[in-house]
Amino acid sequence: MRAGAALAFTLLPAAAAAAGPLRDVIEQPPRHASGPVKFTQVSHIIYLNNCLPSGCDVSPGFDDSLTQHSSIPQQPSHLDAWAWGPESWNQLVQCVQSMYAPFQVTVTDVDPGPSVPHFEEIVAGIDTEVQIEGAGGVAPFIPCDGQLQDNVISFVFASETSDLDFLCWAAAQETSHVFGLDHEMNALDPMTYLSPPEKKQGFQNTDTPCGEYADRTCWCGNPTQNTAQYLADTFGPTTLVVPSMAIGEPADGAWVGPGFQIKASTMSQMSIVSSSLSIDGVEASRAGSGNSPLFTAPTSLTSGDHTITVAATDFIQRSFSAQVTVHAMASCAGGQDCSDGFHCLGGECLPGADTAGGLGATCAANTDCITGTCASDSTESLCSGACDPGNTCPSGFACATSTGPGDVCWPSQGSSGGCTSGRDASPLAALGVLGVLAVLVRRRRAS
């Protein structure tokens, strides 16, 4: 075991018939690390050793499964063999294999031999046989400097309990400590102390705080841990799929106002290390790690058509991107005039009825409208929008009472232009065909 490493102990009660909760004792704080090793070159083999038929001999020294040396015992040690029969052993092996199935890790109970690099977990004996007291398992925690040590031996003291769910949980936890994983506060993950459930659901693809029974900073300095992502980054997924990117907002061809948001999602089995926003081929913003990058367009973006591109780079330096074209609306929040065919409402120059989704255009649902509001007076359904303060609307529209959360601008009859105001307190009954934001308006003369 290298200097600065830590020991993780899995503690069990003395009774052999039933297992208690996992509990580790960290003797030394590990050093800080930059994260997992990209497709590490250490062995991807985990050998589960039941020490049959006559037990295992382990010598003290630098961790090396090829020569059966371990940093755990302080003197030559012998561990008694697995005591629960071949059927239980096969079930345990299958359980641990299922834990690691999503990753390029081979779990076997066939000894690879002294010439094939491999990690070893001795699943046999009791704690005192390696000079540990009160433990159900132990592993040297090696990383935190960006490197993994090969051929490390960990232990699960299987003579302590015949509970296969617990032993599978402990086996997955001890082997993964060697790879750099900490305890965490997700009860479904084998890296947790928490139970129920005792039968863990595999390494979880969630960002979870580290800790035993309360949140804390992870061993290597990170605020959270994602065990599935860590193992995929370290060993690779079972099948490596080509990554992709999607822009969920805005939609292609959407009309957008100043400072609109761009929401994207990445599909990669590897961690995303960086992402960027480009507008018309010029980078406008960058973001760090994360599978759902979020950007805000510059408020200075000129009106007109623009190409929005979001690009990302994953942990193994694969770059991928997606793009949409948007129609940027000018701002009129400062009293600026809008171009012909546009109407100032809510501080934006909205296109008129001649544009699909524009103010006053026909609609069948809220999603048809740039404003997100399709209103009806039970005769026709038109794209509308909330009246500006003072019940004002653009030229050609009047502020009409609605059954929705606010009054809306509706085409005025005989209007000579300019802003209109006033209120009709007798709205018609709402129709449900336009969606949850649909409103009914009553026409009103311009004042």
Side-chain angles (χ1 to χ4, degrees), residues 15-57:
L22 283 177
R23 185 161 61 89
D24 288 359
V25 178
I26 307 306
E27 290 194 335
Q28 301 177 40
R31 293 163 291 178
H32 287 271
S34 57
V37 179
K38 180 168 45 184
F39 280 16
T40 180
Q41 296 303 303
V42 299
S43 175
H44 291 207
I45 299 173
I46 298 173
Y47 166 44
L48 301 180
N49 185 359
N50 58 17
C51 295
L52 289 172
S54 55
C56 290
D57 293 318

Side-chain angles (χ1 to χ4, degrees), residues 12 38 66 82 99 144 152 162 188 215 245 304 320 333 364 371 396:
L12 293 175
K38 180 168 45 184
L66 304 183
W82 172 266
M99 292 283 188
C144 275
V152 177
S162 60
L188 299 179
D215 295 359
M245 165 83 71
F320 47 101
T371 59

Side-chain angles (χ1 to χ4, degrees), residues 119-120 138-143 147-149 151-154 173-181 230:
F119 293 93
E120 181 174 342
V138 63
F141 181 82
I142 301 299
Q147 298 294 322
L148 298 184
Q149 180 181 325
N151 304 318
V152 177
I153 300 177
S154 58
Q173 184 170 123
E174 297 307 325
T175 52
S176 294
H177 277 323
V178 171
F179 303 144
L181 287 175
Y230 184 99

Side-chain angles (χ1 to χ4, degrees), residues 240-262:
L240 189 59
V241 179
V242 175
S244 62
M245 165 83 71
I247 298 176
E249 184 182 321
D252 190 37
W255 288 84
V256 294
F260 63 95
Q261 285 195 327
I262 301 97

Side-chain angles (χ1 to χ4, degrees), residues 308-327:
I308 306 299
T309 304
V310 179
T313 301
D314 69 14
F315 197 62
I316 55 174
Q317 299 303 304
R318 297 181 299 175
S319 297
F320 47 101
S321 63
Q323 68 179 34
V324 295
T325 299
V326 298
H327 310 294

Side-chain angles (χ1 to χ4, degrees), residues 357-393:
L359 194 64
T362 58
C363 56
N366 295 320
T367 53
D368 293 338
C369 303
I370 296 170
T371 59
T373 299
C374 180
S376 174
D377 65 354
S378 69
T379 299
E380 57 185 340
S381 299
L382 304 175
C383 290
S384 184
C387 304
D388 279 335
N391 298 322
T392 59
C393 290

Side-chain angles (χ1 to χ4, degrees), residues 78-99:
H78 178 85
L79 292 99
D80 292 335
W82 172 266
W84 310 116
E87 182 177 351
S88 292
W89 175 254
N90 291 336
Q91 291 178 26
L92 176 63
V93 172
Q94 291 171 10
C95 181
V96 180
Q97 288 174 335
S98 70
M99 292 283 188

